[in-house]
Amino acid sequence: MRPFKIEIPQADLDDLKRRIAGTRWPDELPGVGWERGVPVAYLKELAEYWRSGYDWRAAEEKLNRFPQYITEIDGADVHFLHVRSPEPGATPLIITHGWPGSFVEFIDVIGPLTDPRAHGGDPADAFHVVIPSIPGHGFSSLTQTGWDVPRVARAWAELMSRLGYDRYIAQGGDWGKVISLRLGLEDPEHVAGVHINMLVTFPPSEAAIAELNAEDMSRLQHGGHFQQDGTGWQKIQSTRPQTLAYALTDSPVGQLAWITEKFYEWTASENSPEEAVDRDELLTNVTLYWLTATAGSSAQFYRESSYGDAAFAQTWGGPWPLTMPAAVAVFPGDATRPIRSWGEKVIPTITRWTEFEKGGHFAAMEQPELLVGDVRAFARSLVREPARA
């Protein structure tokens, strides 16, 4: 386990700006807006800001304020943030990102989680926060096949053990959701609870569909539309990630469009993703993917964990027969909208289900106060034991 500091060579930043300036732009059909992908006019403006207005060095300095480390686990170099709370009785919390997110998503919740006293909260709600990057994402390496959800969960259990945490909470959305749930299955003696801010619920039977009320039927219909219209990225990343990698690793504007589309579609935004997330934070996340050249390696996780319909359904739909309490935070702008009665069948230990009125897929960026509050409330419901580290 060694300390890590982000230090991107200036030549890489200069190359990024040169590539943006040399973009060969596609044509666009009139009047389609966002229906067929990211609009050209919007992306041109965003790309120009990325080239001439965005400041990676300021973002780098902000990220480096948090202690970072790299440790080798099962053949992969795992990058993680480890921010200890000043409160001695703090609860260990491991937070896992998804795609197309990264550890960058959680920068604004670290302070309130680790030091609630300094943010107007109760010091009893403090956490020691660990935020690892999935192998193939960010500064975590991927050099071999086989890194699927269970393997990542086992790596996280090993990481928390190395850090000396005997009892901890797992939290996540997107891939972080399924990894956190799997972590509860892999390490039940040490996981005190699992909190997720995304849940996919598949119909358990035809009869179950007939029993839905109007609100839940609307959620099911939303899921059906999402399956038909919004899963193109999943199909290609779970089948041909290497082919996709050539385009996204060579063209920063291609990488920008590939990620920005999801920040538009999966957030509570109407006209552009900046209505839901800060533009610079969005670009920091995109820039991380670009500078680490992880478009392809991050896509490999889909191939490993959701190749084919059966694997997709098992990975995202469960079941997860946990033995510890679980909490579900539902944000209305998310890509998926779960049905509670079905969710309680695949996660039988749900003790907390919160429906929020605003927010979406990237909850830590869109509604950090709501997410932090829900994690705190869930942690309070668990029997606290002293953390050792």
Side-chain angles (χ1 to χ4, degrees), residues 355-369:
E355 299 269 354
F356 290 104
E357 296 182 353
K358 55 185 178 180
H361 192 70
F362 304 95
M365 300 175 77
E366 297 178 69
Q367 299 296 332
E369 292 183 3

Side-chain angles (χ1 to χ4, degrees), residues 219-238:
R219 294 183 181 215
L220 179 62
Q221 291 170 346
H222 175 271
H225 175 73
F226 176 72
Q227 180 66 24
Q228 292 296 315
D229 182 71
T231 57
W233 101 95
Q234 191 272 335
K235 292 295 185 182
I236 191 169
Q237 293 196 167
S238 64

Side-chain angles (χ1 to χ4, degrees), residues 283-342:
L283 288 173
T284 296
N285 183 67
V286 174
T287 308
L288 179 66
Y289 273 85
W290 173 259
L291 294 173
T292 56
T294 48
S297 57
S298 62
Q300 295 287 349
F301 199 44
Y302 283 83
R303 175 72 184 208
E304 297 289 352
S305 298
S306 58
Y307 176 66
D309 291 342
F312 175 83
Q314 182 178 21
T315 294
W316 292 100
W320 299 275
L322 300 177
T323 56
M324 70 289 298
V328 180
V330 181
F331 291 88
D334 203 348
T336 61
R337 298 170 187 176
I339 294 170
R340 181 169 184 171
S341 60
W342 295 356

Side-chain angles (χ1 to χ4, degrees), residues 5-333:
K5 183 179 180 181
I6 304 172
E7 295 177 309
I8 300 299
Q10 185 59 41
D12 291 358
L13 302 179
D14 294 341
D15 176 66
L16 169 59
K17 293 183 177 182
R18 178 187 62 78
R19 287 171 180 264
I20 296 173
T23 299
R24 186 172 69 159
W25 293 93
D27 293 331
E28 181 180 38
L29 294 175
V32 296
W34 285 85
E35 290 182 2
R36 302 191 181 194
V38 184
V40 172
Y42 167 79
L43 198 65
K44 280 186 175 181
E45 190 276 327
L46 181 61
E48 176 55 29
Y49 175 77
W50 192 18
R51 187 189 71 82
S52 61
Y54 170 74
D55 186 353
W56 166 259
R57 290 302 183 199
E60 188 177 66
E61 189 276 331
K62 182 178 181 180
L63 296 175
N64 280 330
R65 294 175 193 170
F66 302 102
Q68 301 174 56
Y69 305 87
I70 287 182
T71 188
E72 187 275 326
I73 303 177
D74 195 15
D77 284 338
V78 175
H79 167 264
F80 65 98
L81 277 62
H82 184 203
V83 186
R84 296 273 298 172
S85 171
E87 306 296 338
T91 300
L93 173 69
I94 183 168
I95 305 176
T96 307
H97 66 87
W99 184 93
S102 67
F103 71 92
V104 169
E105 290 180 65
F106 308 109
I107 296 304
D108 291 335
V109 301
I110 293 175
L113 287 172
T114 59
D115 194 2
R117 187 194 303 269
H119 292 80
D122 186 345
D125 290 330
F127 298 92
H128 300 307
V129 172
V130 179
I131 308 176
S133 294
I134 300 168
H137 297 67
F139 299 105
S140 288
S141 69
L142 181 70
T143 59
Q144 55 188 242
T145 59
W147 275 99
D148 56 7
V149 168
R151 188 172 177 181
V152 173
R154 291 191 293 272
W156 282 191
E158 173 62 22
L159 175 61
M160 295 303 276
S161 175
R162 291 184 188 182
L163 294 174
Y165 293 131
D166 289 337
R167 186 175 183 274
Y168 59 91
I169 296 172
Q171 199 286 324
D174 196 89
W175 281 123
K177 160 224 162 181
V178 292
I179 291 170
S180 296
L181 290 168
R182 186 71 193 193
L183 182 52
L185 296 177
E186 295 286 347
D187 197 21
E189 294 182 356
H190 302 108
V191 176
V194 177
H195 182 286
I196 57 176
N197 57 282
M198 176 190 178
L199 181 61
V200 180
T201 52
F202 295 111
S205 65
E206 289 292 331
I209 296 176
E211 296 171 355
L212 295 178
N213 59 31
E215 180 182 352
D216 285 341
M217 181 60 74
S218 176
R219 294 183 181 215
L220 179 62
Q221 291 170 346
H222 175 271
H225 175 73
F226 176 72
Q227 180 66 24
Q228 292 296 315
D229 182 71
T231 57
W233 101 95
Q234 191 272 335
K235 292 295 185 182
I236 191 169
Q237 293 196 167
S238 64
T239 56
R240 300 294 185 270
Q242 188 62 42
T243 303
L244 176 67
Y246 298 111
L248 302 188
T249 306
D250 188 61
S251 169
V253 169
Q255 178 71 95
L256 178 66
W258 195 246
I259 291 177
T260 300
E261 178 187 272
K262 301 312 170 195
F263 273 82
Y264 170 73
E265 293 182 348
W266 299 351
T267 59
S269 57
E270 294 291 334
N271 300 301
S272 71
E274 291 94 328
E275 294 175 355
V277 299
D278 179 81
R279 170 173 277 202
D280 282 354
E281 291 181 0
L282 167 62
L283 288 173
T284 296
N285 183 67
V286 174
T287 308
L288 179 66
Y289 273 85
W290 173 259
L291 294 173
T292 56
T294 48
S297 57
S298 62
Q300 295 287 349
F301 199 44
Y302 283 83
R303 175 72 184 208
E304 297 289 352
S305 298
S306 58
Y307 176 66
D309 291 342
F312 175 83
Q314 182 178 21
T315 294
W316 292 100
W320 299 275
L322 300 177
T323 56
M324 70 289 298
V328 180
V330 181
F331 291 88

